[in-house]
Amino acid sequence: IPRDGECRKTKVAILGAGVAGITAAQALSNASMGDFLIVERNDYIGGRVRHTQFGVNPETKAPYTVELGANWVQGLVSEGGPENPIWTLAKRYGLNNTYSNESSILTYDEKGYNDYTGVLAAYEKVYGVAEQDAGYILTDNLQDTSFRAGLSTAGWKPKKDMRMQAAEWWAWDLETAQTPEDSGFLYGITGYNLTFYQFSEDNNYVWDQRGYNAFIIGESQTFLGANDTRLMLNTTVESLTYSDQGVMVKTHDGCIQADYAISTFSVGVLQNDAVTFDPPLPRWKREAIDQFQMGTYTKIFYQFNETFWDPNTQYFLYADPKVRGYYPAWQSLTGPGFLEGSNIIFVTVVENEAYRWSSSQTKRQKMRVSRCCGRCSQTNKSRNQWRFTTHGGVLKSCTNFIPPRMAFGSYSNWPVGMTLEKHQNLRANIGRLYFAGEAMSAQYYGFLQGAWFEGREIGETIAQMIKNQTGSAGDMARYEVLHGTTTLNEYSSANGWPVSSFLTFGIAGKPDACVT
Ligand SMILES: Cc1cc2nc3c(=O)[nH]c(=O)nc-3n(C[C@H](O)[C@H](O)[C@H](O)COP(=O)(O)OP(=O)(O)OC[C@H]3O[C@@H](n4cnc5c(N)ncnc54)[C@H](O)[C@@H]3O)c2cc1C
C-alpha cells in the first residue's frame, strides 16, 4: 500500500454503485455527510440492474431496451400494508411497467399444448400446508430442512411426473434460481412471505426504454452533481486492509484511505476471493460467506419476424419429457402493455441449463442449444397448436446474460442449514469495514428491496457513528460460536429481522397471525 500522502482520503468508501451502494451514499448525504467516495468497477450506475439494446422496433427501426438483470418490481403495496421502496421509486421516476399476470399461461409438454394448469393449482395447495409447517419451525425453534423435504412432508412428491416437475420449477426455481434441494425451507418461505404478503403478491415487469436503472441514476442525482468526483466509475477494488481505525482500499490504479468502508459486493464476489482482505476475514465471517448461495438466472431474448404465438397470453410453460428445467418458462413481450408488436419472446433458464447455455461459446452452438426447444411452429397459429418443434419459426436475433465477474451469479438464495445467527455473521461489520447488499438482507435477500434496506441501514448507522464520534462502537451482533438454532427472541432488528414474517396484510386466504 502506498504511503499515506498518496492515497485519496475520505470518511466513507462505498464499494459498489448498485442499489445498496447508491442508497447507502444517499443515507449519508441525507445526514449531511457528504464526505464519501463511491468506487465501482463498471462504467455505469446500477450494478445488477443493467440493460442492453436488442432487436429492432418494426415501426421506428430503433433497437429495443431489454433488461439483462433485475426486471420486475416484486411486491408493490397492499391495502393497509407498507409499500415496497422499489415500488415507491418506480412510481417516482415514472418507470414504464406492467402487471405480470401469472394466470395468463398456456401449458405444454413434448406433444404440444396440454392443459395441466390443475397441477399448478395443486402445487399452490400443498405450498399452503408447507407454509404452516415452516411457521412452526420458526415459533418453536424446530430443526430446519431443505425446501424439497418440506414440500415432500406437505405431500408434494413429483418423482418422474414431468408436469409436476415443471409446475414446481415454475413456482420455485423461477423465483429463487435454485432447486428445492438446494434451498432452505424456513427462510425460503419467510423470504417469500415478507415480500409477497407484506407488500403484495404482484410482480410488475419493467419495460422502460431508459432502462430499469433509471430510478437508481435518478436517486444518485439527488445528491451527486454532474461529473461529481465522488463517483469513481471504472475503478476496480483489489484489496481491503481494515482495522478498528479505518480501511485502506487498494484499487487497480491507486488507493483510498477511509475512516469507514461499506462493501456492497455480491456474496459471489466475496466467495471467489475477487477482492482480498488483510487481515484475512475471520473464520465466523468466512463460514457464513461460504455457505450462502448465488443462483444463476439467465434470460434469452428472441425476436421473430412475426408473432406466431397467442399475443394475448403472457406465459407459456413447457414440461420437457426428460430434463427438469429445460427451457421451461417463455414470456411474450409482444402483447398489450409490454413491447407491443415487437415479436419478442424470452425464455428463462437457471443453474445447470444457464451454465450450459453460457458455455456454448459460439453463436452457432448457442443457436443449436436453443433450436431444439426454442423453435416454435410458425404454421400452427392456433393457440392449441403452439408447440416446440424442430422446424418453423424465424429467429431474428437473440441475446443472453452471462454473469460477469461483477457478481459471480445472479442473486443470493438461502441455503439448507443456515440459521439466522449465521446469516447475521454475513451482515456483521469487522472493525470499520461494513457489509451491505441484497445477500445481507435476512428478510429480502435476492430482491432489489433487500439491497435497498441494507444500504440504507448501514449508511444511517455509519452517519450516526460519525456524528456521535463513537468510532466502531456500533458493532453489529455476531456469533463466533454457532449452536445451530434460532430462538424466538432472536427474530429482532439486531439480527436483521425488524418485521414479523407472519403478517399477511389481509391477503385473501392467508391467516393473519402475528407472532413475533
Ligand atoms: C438476472 C437477474 C434477474 C434479477 N431479477 C430481479 C427482479 O426481477 N426483481 C428484483 O427485485 N431483483 C432481481 N434481481 C436481483 C437484483 O438485481 C439484486 O438484488 C440487486 O440489484 C443487488 O444490488 P446490490 O447493490 O446488492 O449489488 P450489485 O448490484 O451487484 O452492486 C454491487 C456493485 O459492486 C461492483 N463491484 C463488484 N466487484 C467490484 C470490485 N472488485 N471493485 C469495484 N466494484 C465492484 C459491481 O460491479 C456492482 O455494481 C435479479 C438479478 C439478476 C442478476
Side-chain angles (χ1 to χ4, degrees):
I1 288 178
R3 280 192 309 281
D4 222 22
E6 297 170 2
C7 294
R8 255 182 104 167
K9 287 204 173 67
T10 187
K11 276 213 180 328
V12 190
I14 298 165
L15 313 177
V19 170
I22 295 300
T23 311
Q26 188 175 41
L28 286 163
S29 192
N30 288 347
S32 310
M33 299 285 162
D35 185 2
F36 56 77
L37 294 174
I38 305 172
V39 191
E40 168 58 55
R41 77 195 300 274
N42 291 331
D43 61 0
Y44 66 92
I45 284 177
R48 279 175 270 168
V49 188
R50 64 181 218 150
H51 53 265
T52 191
Q53 307 285 294
F54 171 76
V56 63
N57 182 321
E59 274 176 18
T60 65
K61 307 296 173 213
Y64 287 105
T65 296
V66 295
E67 299 297 329
L68 298 175
N71 222 148
W72 284 263
V73 185
Q74 303 200 259
L76 314 181
V77 57
S78 52
E79 224 179 305
E83 183 160 299
N84 180 345
I86 304 302
W87 180 235
T88 312
L89 293 170
K91 288 189 294 184
R92 183 174 301 158
Y93 292 98
L95 287 183
N96 286 317
N97 67 89
T98 301
Y99 171 60
S100 270
N101 182 2
E102 289 168 14
S103 304
S104 173
I105 186 168
L106 296 174
T107 52
Y108 296 81
D109 61 18
E110 79 280 11
K111 295 201 181 81
Y113 176 72
N114 181 346
D115 183 0
Y116 52 89
T117 46
V119 182
L120 273 53
Y123 172 91
E124 288 305 324
K125 218 167 158 200
V126 174
Y127 183 83
V129 176
E131 271 179 330
Q132 309 231 335
D133 290 345
Y136 290 121
I137 292 176
L138 191 157
T139 53
D140 300 349
N141 190 15
L142 304 178
Q143 193 176 68
D144 198 7
T145 186
S146 68
F147 189 71
R148 164 65 65 221
L151 272 185
S152 187
T153 304
W156 180 261
K157 299 177 194 291
K159 298 194 178 128
K160 296 246 179 300
D161 184 329
M162 298 313 276
R163 296 178 314 166
M164 287 176 83
Q165 297 273 13
E168 80 173 28
W169 188 99
W170 162 255
W172 186 258
D173 301 38
L174 185 58
E175 192 56 64
T176 64
Q178 291 207 311
T179 62
E181 285 78 3
D182 285 339
S183 307
F185 182 49
L186 167 57
Y187 297 98
I189 299 255
T190 54
Y192 186 92
N193 290 4
L194 280 153
T195 278
F196 294 113
Y197 298 165
Q198 185 186 184
F199 301 128
S200 75
E201 290 187 291
D202 305 331
N203 284 303
N204 276 25
Y205 183 91
V206 175
W207 51 271
D208 198 287
Q209 294 302 289
R210 291 167 293 173
Y212 196 167
N213 69 342
F215 85 88
I216 315 173
I217 294 171
E219 286 294 274
S220 74
Q221 288 168 348
T222 63
F223 60 90
L224 290 178
N227 303 318
D228 201 310
T229 54
R230 292 175 296 172
L231 176 63
M232 300 169 67
L233 296 176
N234 298 307
T235 309
T236 301
V237 176
E238 291 182 344
S239 70
L240 299 172
T241 304
Y242 62 95
S243 72
D244 287 343
Q245 274 68 53
V247 181
M248 181 74 85
V249 181
K250 189 172 175 303
T251 65
H252 74 282
D253 64 352
C255 59
I256 298 162
Q257 197 181 340
D259 290 354
Y260 297 86
I262 307 174
S263 154
T264 70
F265 303 143
S266 75
V267 79
V269 167
L270 299 174
Q271 279 169 349
N272 285 281
D273 299 326
V275 175
T276 55
F277 293 87
D278 181 20
L281 295 174
R283 190 180 173 93
W284 58 264
K285 178 62 109 182
R286 277 185 290 126
E287 283 181 347
I289 289 171
D290 288 339
Q291 190 171 355
F292 220 57
Q293 295 182 18
M294 291 284 285
T296 297
Y297 180 103
T298 297
K299 290 176 277 186
I300 307 161
F301 293 88
Y302 296 88
Q303 185 176 39
F304 291 89
N305 285 330
E306 63 170 310
T307 297
F308 49 86
W309 54 92
D310 179 0
N312 295 315
T313 297
Q314 290 191 18
Y315 289 102
F316 305 88
L317 180 66
Y318 169 65
D320 187 79
K322 291 202 181 95
V323 182
R324 181 182 184 281
Y326 195 75
Y327 298 81
W330 295 76
Q331 186 174 352
S332 171
L333 292 182
T334 200
F338 297 91
L339 304 175
E340 284 181 39
S342 64
N343 303 324
I344 293 178
I345 191 166
F346 70 91
V347 61
T348 302
V349 283
V350 303
E351 295 290 89
N352 289 344
E353 291 308 325
Y355 304 143
R356 221 146 67 120
W357 170 264
S358 323
S359 63
S360 307
Q361 294 300 330
T362 64
K363 197 173 173 202
R364 183 189 290 257
Q365 278 171 312
K366 283 191 168 149
M367 301 269 281
R368 202 178 298 139
V369 170
S370 60
R371 186 160 290 163
C372 54
C373 54
R375 281 196 153 190
C376 318
S377 168
Q378 196 175 9
T379 47
N380 298 321
K381 288 186 188 160
S382 132
R383 70 179 214 171
N384 287 357
Q385 295 291 320
W386 197 81
R387 47 187 289 199
F388 301 92
T389 67
T390 48
H391 54 83
V394 182
L395 181 66
K396 235 182 182 177
S397 53
C398 66
T399 187
N400 71 307
F401 177 61
I402 302 167
R405 210 176 150 72
M406 61 178 266
F408 290 93
S410 299
Y411 48 86
S412 68
N413 184 35
W414 199 295
V416 181
M418 186 135 182
T419 57
L420 188 61
E421 288 183 349
K422 195 162 188 179
H423 182 271
Q424 178 58 25
N425 283 349
L426 194 63
R427 301 180 77 218
N429 66 303
I430 316 171
R432 297 268 185 109
L433 175 60
Y434 284 75
F435 295 84
E438 57 88 6
M440 308 303 150
S441 171
Q443 300 206 307
Y444 314 104
Y445 63 88
F447 293 116
L448 288 164
Q449 51 267 34
W452 189 90
F453 278 113
E454 290 299 301
R456 187 184 62 166
E457 180 172 338
I458 299 302
E460 286 177 349
T461 301
I462 292 180
Q464 202 59 41
M465 285 188 298
I466 295 174
K467 238 180 206 159
N468 300 345
Q469 299 187 324
T470 50
S472 60
D475 266 351
M476 299 163 74
R478 86 254 340 249
Y479 301 88
E480 295 187 22
V481 179
L482 289 164
H483 293 289
T485 70
T486 312
T487 52
L488 200 50
N489 64 333
E490 286 186 287
Y491 289 94
S492 64
S493 297
N495 290 319
W497 204 270
V499 177
S500 166
S501 54
F502 287 92
L503 294 172
T504 59
F505 294 101
I507 288 191
K510 300 291 170 196
D512 209 358
C514 176
V515 178
T516 63

